[in-house]
């Protein structure tokens, strides 16, 4: 007599076991999909941050105050007049955020680093503090007989603005503006990532520094490409 249990006895257990395995697999797939949908994605967050920054248009990252002292001399009718102008003014150092494109933002998954190539600093036209302008003149007769004073004032104001712009090109101030720009860009990308609980490094640099980042820039991927690949995988999974 055969002592082994009949397959009829084991069949219900096999069916139940199969259903349990199927349920476990489906539950695991559902959990993985839900987890991927709620897990913070650094690339998606960086892309949203980029869009917000582009909407800001121009970002003032640094301001500096200068004083221009200029003198103009005018000779006319055998007479001469001279006028000196002291013009305080403020200069803004800006980033044109419209120039920050998706290809300028790259993600390196090897070390969770976001590389951002910042547009070059742009110096806005100086804003003269008209109410604080001081003038000193020498040549009252010529000024009294002609329009020399107006001519001297116009020439001095033009030269004053040009002098403020020249002072704004000071290498020390440019360096300070660039560092301020780095901090501002890093901050704008880092805050949303930190709020989502994502640990990522932000490395911001300027176009003239590209050679220092060549290897990392070549290996890292534009966030546009990463997002496109993620979208393709989601469509294939569905």
């Amino acid at each position: 007599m055969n002592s082994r249990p009949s397959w009829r006895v084991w069949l219900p257990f096999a069916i139940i076991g199969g259903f349990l395995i199927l349920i476990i697999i489906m539950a695991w797939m559902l959990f993985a999909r839900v987890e991927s949908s709620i897990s913070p994605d650094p690339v998606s967050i960086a892309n949203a941050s980029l869009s917000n920054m582009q909407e800001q248009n121009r970002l003032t990252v640094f301001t500096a105050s200068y004083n221009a002292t200029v003198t103009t001399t005018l000779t006319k009718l055998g007479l001469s007049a001279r006028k000196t102008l002291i013009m305080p003014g403020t200069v803004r150092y800006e980033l044109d955020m419209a120039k920050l494109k998706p290809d300028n933002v790259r993600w390196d998954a090897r070390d969770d680093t976001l590389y951002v190539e910042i547009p070059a600093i742009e110096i806005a036209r100086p804003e003269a503090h008209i109410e604080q302008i001081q003038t000193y003149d020498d040549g009252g007769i010529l000024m009294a007989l002609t329009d020399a004073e107006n001519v001297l004032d116009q020439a001095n104001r033009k030269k004053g603005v040009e002098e403020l712009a020249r002072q704004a090109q000071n290498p020390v101030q440019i360096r300070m503006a660039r560092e301020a720009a780095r901090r501002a860009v890093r901050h704008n990308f880092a805050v949303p990532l930190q709020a989502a609980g994502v640990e990522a490094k932000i490395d911001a640099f300027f176009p003239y520094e590209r050679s220092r980042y060549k290897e990392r820039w070549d290996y890292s991927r534009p966030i546009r490409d990463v997002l496109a690949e993620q979208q393709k995988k989601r469509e294939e999974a569905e």
Side-chain angles (χ1 to χ4, degrees):
M1 184 176 180
N2 190 355
S3 62
R4 290 180 299 175
S6 171
W7 64 270
R8 295 177 182 275
V9 176
W10 290 103
L11 181 60
F13 294 100
I15 294 174
I16 293 173
F19 272 116
L20 288 174
I21 293 173
L22 181 61
I23 290 173
I24 292 172
I25 292 174
M26 293 179 64
W28 179 82
M29 293 176 63
L30 178 62
F31 175 78
R33 177 170 293 188
V34 171
E35 184 182 31
S36 63
S37 65
I38 63 176
S39 296
D41 174 30
V43 177
S44 298
I45 296 172
N47 188 59
S49 300
L50 172 62
S51 298
N52 291 335
M53 294 177 70
Q54 289 172 329
E55 291 175 0
Q56 296 181 40
N57 194 12
R58 301 189 72 84
L59 177 65
T60 298
V61 296
F62 187 72
T63 59
S65 297
Y66 302 97
N67 272 293
T69 300
V70 295
T71 300
T72 301
T73 301
L74 177 66
T75 301
K76 195 174 185 179
L77 303 176
L79 301 172
S80 65
R82 182 175 62 183
K83 199 163 187 180
T84 297
L85 174 143
I86 301 175
M87 174 189 286
T90 300
V91 178
R92 300 191 313 274
Y93 298 78
E94 303 176 337
L95 290 179
D96 185 354
M97 303 314 296
K99 294 181 179 179
L100 184 60
K101 304 297 183 182
D103 286 344
N104 298 124
V105 183
R106 298 195 172 209
W107 175 249
D108 189 342
R110 295 178 303 176
D111 54 3
D112 295 331
T113 300
L114 194 70
Y115 291 102
V116 185
E117 185 178 33
I118 312 172
I121 290 284
E122 297 182 11
I123 302 177
R125 179 178 173 81
E127 297 178 0
H129 300 164
I130 304 299
E131 69 284 357
Q132 299 178 25
I133 287 179
Q134 301 178 44
T135 58
Y136 303 91
D137 61 74
D138 178 14
I141 297 178
L142 184 61
M143 291 183 187
L145 297 177
T146 68
D147 62 346
E149 185 169 13
N150 290 333
V151 173
L152 292 171
D153 284 340
Q154 291 179 12
N156 273 343
R157 292 200 177 196
K158 180 180 178 182
K159 290 164 66 174
V161 171
E162 292 173 349
E163 173 61 15
L164 291 174
R166 187 193 65 78
Q167 292 180 23
Q169 297 286 345
N170 183 303
V172 174
Q173 301 294 73
I174 293 290
R175 184 168 61 250
M176 293 174 66
R178 285 173 175 165
E179 290 307 312
R182 290 184 216 272
R183 290 194 298 270
V185 170
R186 284 198 297 260
H187 176 80
N188 283 351
F189 278 106
V191 169
L193 288 168
Q194 292 171 357
V198 177
E199 293 293 334
K201 299 186 287 289
I202 315 295
D203 198 336
F205 64 97
F206 289 93
Y208 73 91
E209 300 172 305
R210 171 73 77 89
S211 60
R212 289 167 45 189
Y213 289 81
K214 187 178 188 309
E215 180 180 350
R216 283 170 284 180
W217 192 254
D218 290 342
Y219 183 88
S220 58
R221 302 179 59 200
I223 58 174
R224 190 207 313 257
D225 293 351
V226 178
L227 291 172
E229 183 178 299
Q230 291 176 350
Q231 179 62 28
K232 183 179 179 180
K233 288 180 179 180
R234 283 194 293 267
E235 292 174 353
E236 291 175 349
E238 294 174 356

